[in-house]
Amino acid sequence: MEINWTVINELKPSTVSIIIYSDANRLKESLRKTGKVVFTVGLRTKTTLDIKIFSPERDIHDSFLIAYIPAGAEDLKYHTTTINSYFHGTQTHNYLKLTKNQRLPELKKYLRCVLEQLLPDVTNLEAEIIIHDIPELSI
């Protein structure tokens, strides 16, 4: 998969919108149709990243937290947590860690692996990464 990366550094947003019943198929179809994807990256904790995926289309409000280990990215460092969700029961999340040796290149590798699993039939993609107030991931 050929990915053209655009990295934007922004201050942390003052508000966050959460969509409870997002549709993964609608999101994937939008990404295929536009050939574009948007990721937001913020700190979950001091050393773990909160990564979400969105469509660039304004009328597609589906978004998902990315907190798993995709094929091809098993060698990266993760922090594993188990939570009980009212909507989904018990879930295990693997958050990508921010370390001295794991910065922007490793984040791009992780996101590439996510996209290759999510959209195996797509060969070219424009990916925008919006990083919220994480100086360690600055270009």
Side-chain angles (χ1 to χ4, degrees):
M1 176 181 289
E2 184 68 32
I3 301 175
N4 183 24
W5 300 100
T6 302
V7 179
I8 300 168
N9 290 288
E10 293 183 352
L11 294 177
K12 196 169 238 178
S14 58
T15 61
V16 177
S17 176
I18 297 173
I19 307 299
I20 294 176
Y21 296 107
S22 289
D23 184 326
N25 291 326
R26 185 173 45 218
L27 176 64
K28 288 192 284 189
E29 187 55 38
S30 174
L31 300 181
R32 280 188 190 93
K33 183 176 90 175
T34 62
K36 297 178 183 178
V37 61
V38 177
F39 294 100
T40 60
V41 181
L43 285 175
R44 180 180 177 280
T45 66
K46 197 173 184 180
T47 60
T48 58
L49 299 176
D50 183 69
I51 303 170
K52 294 180 181 74
I53 186 171
F54 299 88
S55 165
E57 290 186 282
R58 296 282 184 214
D59 59 336
I60 303 294
H61 300 287
D62 303 302
S63 64
F64 291 91
L65 172 70
I66 301 173
Y68 73 100
I69 302 171
E74 299 90 354
D75 60 326
L76 299 175
K77 305 279 188 234
Y78 300 90
H79 175 73
T80 302
T81 63
T82 301
I83 62 166
N84 289 310
S85 165
Y86 176 77
F87 297 103
H88 305 291
T90 301
Q91 292 183 320
T92 299
H93 292 161
N94 293 288
Y95 295 96
L96 188 65
K97 289 182 101 176
L98 180 65
T99 68
K100 289 183 181 182
N101 297 321
Q102 196 160 279
R103 302 297 171 123
L104 188 58
E106 289 76 21
L107 173 61
K108 286 181 180 179
K109 174 185 176 177
Y110 176 74
L111 296 177
R112 173 182 298 280
C113 292
V114 167
L115 290 170
E116 287 173 348
Q117 273 191 329
L118 186 65
L119 303 166
D121 55 335
V122 174
T123 56
N124 292 308
L125 209 51
E126 298 283 326
E128 182 176 286
I129 305 171
I130 302 171
I131 300 172
H132 294 291
D133 202 22
I134 307 173
E136 297 88 350
L137 295 179
S138 295
I139 355 180

